[in-house]
Amino acid sequence: MAIADNFDMEENVGDVRRDHFEGWSAATELSEATTDYFRDSVQGTLRGHLPSTFDPDLNAAALLPATVERNRKMIRLERIDTLIAPRASLDPRLSFERLETALRDKDEETLTAFTELFAEYRGERPAFAAPKIEVEDDLAEPDWLHRLALRLGLYHFFPVKAGETFHFALMEYTGFDVFAQAEPRRIDRPFALATVLECQNNPAFFPVPSGTPHGFTVDLGPPGGPTVREVLHVRLDYEHHHVVRFGTLTGPLPAPDLVGARERHRATLRSTTGRPDFGASRMADAS
């Protein structure tokens, strides 16, 4: 499986964190142990929890330096169905249609009511993000949402059943926002490389060689597109101005070729990082 291959290729989990992981869960299956570790050690169950991801004593191998460019614009795509569906009947402002109108009309009060819903998520789950500049061409197209889901490797964001509709919010913010969130919690290095311990057994995740300054998303689209950099950062409490677009995808959409995408990604990663031997063991079927 792709999950086992990712563990075989992972180079950014240092000895200390590996020992921490191996001693964490009583589960005997690797996937179950990884799920337990993510839930309790990475995400946690309470706000204020320090994810092991950003603990320098545990995760020095994957933490990025505090010199990360702070004025860089970043984007993150949020699927919001489970966020708004239970509330829309109680607060009509939180229906998807009303949220689209609020964004168009710059209705800060309604958008704030929407972003405050994210605060209900438990724990301190780190967030995957990408530099906006690397997907600006996609954002300029009418089918920007489909293109973005492909480019960012969001395999689980594709409605493959007929009539199924997924709803999304595109969030935009800067490194300044992330550091401002981290500083009161005394997290000096709020950016990190994602590892197999943060990817939640996701077959569309792919590790990078040690020493690489950022990760890369697995492009699920046609071959030949440029790679998109990817980083992990501390949880960000959104504000109304972070919401820049809403959009929907309706099925049936074809499921991306994950096996082929992973093979292409490995070849690109080897060339980009100068590691022609990276992932030399045969990758298993990603299904």
Side-chain angles (χ1 to χ4, degrees):
M1 292 179 62
I3 307 306
D5 285 321
N6 285 345
F7 269 88
D8 287 341
M9 290 184 285
E10 182 61 72
E11 297 181 355
N12 292 298
V13 174
D15 293 343
V16 174
R17 197 169 190 220
R18 182 199 62 219
D19 293 343
H20 190 248
F21 165 68
E22 291 178 349
W24 190 269
S25 172
T28 56
E29 294 292 330
L30 180 60
S31 61
E32 293 179 10
T34 306
T35 297
D36 289 347
Y37 189 81
F38 179 86
R39 183 190 63 235
D40 299 328
S41 176
V42 177
Q43 175 175 292
T45 58
L46 300 174
R47 296 305 306 271
H49 162 78
L50 174 63
S52 55
T53 306
F54 303 106
D55 186 335
D57 294 328
L58 288 175
N59 202 30
L63 283 177
L64 298 181
T67 54
V68 168
E69 184 180 346
R70 300 194 181 202
N71 62 359
R72 177 182 299 164
K73 292 182 180 179
M74 292 179 288
I75 57 97
R76 175 173 167 82
L77 191 61
E78 296 276 8
R79 184 180 166 194
I80 60 174
D81 294 280
T82 59
L83 190 68
I84 64 174
R87 284 99 172 166
S89 60
L90 301 175
D91 186 346
R93 295 179 304 167
L94 300 176
S95 71
F96 186 76
E97 294 75 16
R98 288 284 296 274
L99 290 173
E100 287 185 303
T101 300
L103 183 61
R104 184 181 63 245
D105 295 345
K106 297 182 171 55
D107 178 354
E108 296 181 3
E109 181 179 349
T110 297
L111 293 175
T112 296
F114 166 66
T115 57
E116 285 178 346
L117 295 178
F118 288 91
E120 298 177 12
Y121 286 149
R122 299 173 66 189
E124 295 283 351
R125 173 188 286 189
F128 286 82
K132 180 184 179 182
I133 193 172
E134 298 191 7
V135 295
E136 284 187 319
D137 289 346
D138 299 290
L139 291 172
E141 297 296 330
D143 62 341
W144 65 271
L145 180 53
H146 187 222
R147 293 166 67 107
L148 203 61
L150 289 169
R151 294 290 307 284
L152 298 181
L154 300 174
Y155 185 74
H156 52 300
F157 277 9
F158 287 85
V160 296
K161 297 179 181 178
E164 191 174 40
T165 298
F166 293 169
H167 301 81
F168 299 90
L170 181 65
M171 319 302 279
E172 180 181 320
Y173 46 91
T174 68
F176 282 111
D177 295 317
V178 175
F179 275 96
Q181 186 81 43
E183 285 168 2
R185 301 181 55 210
R186 299 182 181 179
I187 298 176
D188 298 325
R189 297 161 68 184
F191 289 89
L193 297 173
T195 75
V196 292
L197 300 181
E198 283 84 27
C199 77
Q200 299 187 78
N201 297 316
N202 181 2
F205 169 79
F206 209 102
V208 293
S210 61
T212 308
H214 42 70
F216 295 95
T217 64
V218 176
D219 193 337
L220 301 172
T227 56
V228 176
R229 290 174 291 166
E230 177 180 64
V231 294
L232 195 67
H233 63 69
V234 296
R235 174 173 173 162
L236 179 66
D237 289 330
Y238 295 129
E239 299 182 24
H240 66 83
H241 58 272
H242 293 142
V243 187
V244 293
R245 294 189 190 185
F246 288 107
T248 60
L249 290 177
T250 299
L253 291 178
D257 174 16
L258 185 54
V259 175
R262 283 179 62 88
E263 290 286 356
R264 293 192 299 272
H265 185 83
R266 178 172 63 168
T268 301
L269 193 59
R270 286 174 167 180
S271 174
T272 301
T273 64
R275 281 283 304 277
D277 63 329
F278 184 68
S281 61
R282 182 183 67 82
M283 290 195 302
D285 186 343
S287 61

